[in-house]
Amino acid sequence: MADSAAVNGNPPVDSLKSSKCQVSHSPQPLHRTLILPLRRAADDTIPTAPDAAAAYNTVANGPVAQNVMDQSAKTSAELSNLAASRQRPSYTAATGQPLTHYHSFFSELLSWRNPRASAIAYAAVVSLIFSVRYLDILRWGFKLTWMVLGITIAAEVVGKALLNHGFTTQLRPRKYYTVPRETLDALIGDVHELINFFVIESQRVLFAENVYASAAAALAAFISYYLVRIVPYWGLAVIATTVVFFAPLVYTTNQEFIDSQLKHAGEVLNAQTAQLRSVAQKQTKQATQVTKQYMGDYTAKAQALIKGATHHHEQAPKKTTPLKASDFPAAPKEEPKKPADAEPAPAPEPEPVAKTEEEPLIAA
């Protein structure tokens, strides 16, 4: 009967009762069966204390943090090398004078052997130029000064009014800070060395101790003469700083190519100079020969004129005037009679002879 009922499509009563009992005695409702898995998934995403520490350790010891630490260590080492390079160089100037330790310092800084230190120095200089240009530092300094003084005065007054002792007095140090003499001497020595660095370098450039450096300075001054008309001073300072820092970098990066080009230019210049020297020597020799020839001719003519005048003066005939009978007195024809007692008459004085005209020394 049971089998026939099952076959006809009517389930047995016992089976229905058992199924109802199972449904009515289910341990949890349907909505809890849907919420619990979602809650478990959310709880899995919330990190616990050990997981947060592990994540921090992962970030702190990860590749990014390790790279930052490596770069910081390299930067510190390069800054230390740059500071240690402040030593007086072994070479001297052309006059034999010793150079300052700032020659080694700036040579090390601009050579980019410590790239991080050089980049930091360039960024600092450019930032200072822009801050002076766009930030009213002097006005901000005055503002900071009156604000700080106002705070200290107010704290002192309020403290004395309320607690019978000022707050600023409590913060006052027992002994005011002073600059040690050793620090001041070292600072003055550094300033002295820095000033001498610029003075010596300006003279070395002026007197062409290094021809290339003097030529570069002349070219920079020539370009700045025209740029100053259209570029403000702060822009000119930025351009000058960029050129000073990056020109050595460009040279060290392309040193072989630049040296070859400079060598070729030097050879061409030496060839042209030798050619001009030979032409100048040839022209000078010809001019000297022509000058000697003309001088010899003029000397010979002058000597001939002098000798001819002297010979003509020596051989010039002297003109004499012939004497005439009228120039002499007439002789008496009869002798005068002498009286016996009479004194002898005095002899007649001879008439003076007419003086002949003096002949000139040089014939007309």
Side-chain angles (χ1 to χ4, degrees):
M1 292 292 295
D3 296 337
S4 62
V7 172
N8 292 332
N10 295 322
V13 179
D14 297 334
S15 62
L16 290 175
K17 289 181 179 181
S18 63
S19 63
K20 288 180 180 180
C21 291
Q22 290 177 0
V23 173
S24 61
H25 291 81
S26 58
Q28 53 187 0
L30 181 61
H31 67 278
R32 293 191 66 183
T33 59
L34 297 176
I35 292 174
L36 286 175
L38 296 176
R39 184 177 293 176
R40 291 193 186 95
D43 293 339
D44 294 339
T45 57
I46 298 175
T48 58
D51 294 338
Y56 175 77
N57 292 330
T58 303
V59 173
N61 299 323
V64 177
Q66 191 66 30
N67 189 15
V68 171
M69 293 175 62
D70 293 341
Q71 295 298 328
S72 300
K74 291 180 180 179
T75 303
S76 301
E78 290 185 3
L79 291 175
S80 300
N81 293 334
L82 184 62
S85 65
R86 295 176 55 190
Q87 297 178 359
R88 195 176 298 275
S90 58
Y91 57 90
T92 60
T95 57
Q97 292 175 281
L99 302 178
T100 64
H101 60 253
Y102 276 102
H103 284 82
S104 301
F105 175 78
F106 284 111
S107 177
E108 186 73 15
L109 177 65
L110 299 178
S111 64
W112 289 82
R113 284 190 287 267
N114 300 304
R116 294 171 183 81
S118 300
I120 290 173
Y122 172 74
V125 174
V126 173
S127 300
L128 179 62
I129 294 172
F130 277 103
S131 63
V132 172
R133 170 62 180 85
Y134 291 103
L135 301 179
D136 197 355
I137 299 177
L138 183 62
R139 186 167 173 266
W140 288 4
F142 288 143
K143 183 178 180 180
L144 181 64
T145 301
W146 73 259
M147 288 178 67
V148 170
L149 291 177
I151 291 172
T152 55
I153 293 170
E156 183 70 15
V157 172
V158 171
K160 286 185 177 181
L162 297 178
L163 304 174
N164 202 19
H165 60 80
F167 294 110
T168 308
T169 304
Q170 301 298 322
L171 298 175
R172 184 183 303 150
R174 296 181 179 178
K175 184 179 180 181
Y176 288 116
Y177 177 77
T178 57
V179 180
R181 184 178 182 86
E182 294 78 9
T183 304
L184 190 60
D185 291 341
L187 181 61
I188 294 174
D190 283 342
V191 173
H192 178 258
E193 291 288 318
L194 183 61
I195 293 174
N196 281 336
F197 165 76
F198 288 107
V199 172
I200 292 174
E201 283 302 309
S202 61
Q203 293 179 86
R204 294 176 70 186
V205 171
L206 177 62
F207 295 105
E209 183 174 329
N210 189 344
V211 179
Y212 296 107
S214 301
L219 181 62
F222 177 76
I223 296 174
S224 301
Y225 172 75
Y226 291 98
L227 282 180
V228 76
R229 300 180 180 179
I230 57 177
V231 178
Y233 290 110
W234 67 269
L236 199 63
V238 172
I239 293 173
T241 304
T242 304
V243 171
V244 168
F245 271 88
F246 286 96
L249 179 61
V250 172
Y251 173 73
T252 54
T253 306
N254 307 281
Q255 185 174 2
E256 295 182 359
F257 175 75
I258 295 175
D259 289 344
S260 62
Q261 295 299 321
L262 290 176
K263 183 179 180 180
H264 178 69
E267 291 176 353
V268 173
L269 182 62
N270 291 333
Q272 294 295 328
T273 304
Q275 184 178 1
L276 291 175
R277 188 184 297 111
S278 63
V279 172
Q281 290 178 354
K282 184 177 180 181
Q283 296 295 331
T284 304
K285 186 177 181 179
Q286 291 180 356
T288 304
Q289 292 178 354
V290 171
T291 304
K292 287 182 178 180
Q293 182 178 358
Y294 280 111
M295 289 297 294
D297 295 341
Y298 290 141
T299 302
K301 289 182 180 180
Q303 291 177 355
L305 290 174
I306 294 172
K307 288 181 179 179
T310 305
H311 184 69
H312 181 73
H313 175 69
E314 291 178 352
Q315 295 183 356
K318 294 182 179 180
K319 293 183 178 180
T320 57
T321 303
L323 296 177
K324 298 179 181 179
S326 60
D327 295 334
F328 298 94
K333 296 180 179 180
E334 296 179 357
E335 293 182 1
K337 294 180 179 181
K338 298 180 179 180
D341 298 331
E343 296 178 359
E349 295 180 0
E351 296 182 1
V353 180
K355 296 182 180 181
T356 60
E357 297 180 359
E358 295 181 358
E359 296 295 332
L361 297 178
I362 299 175

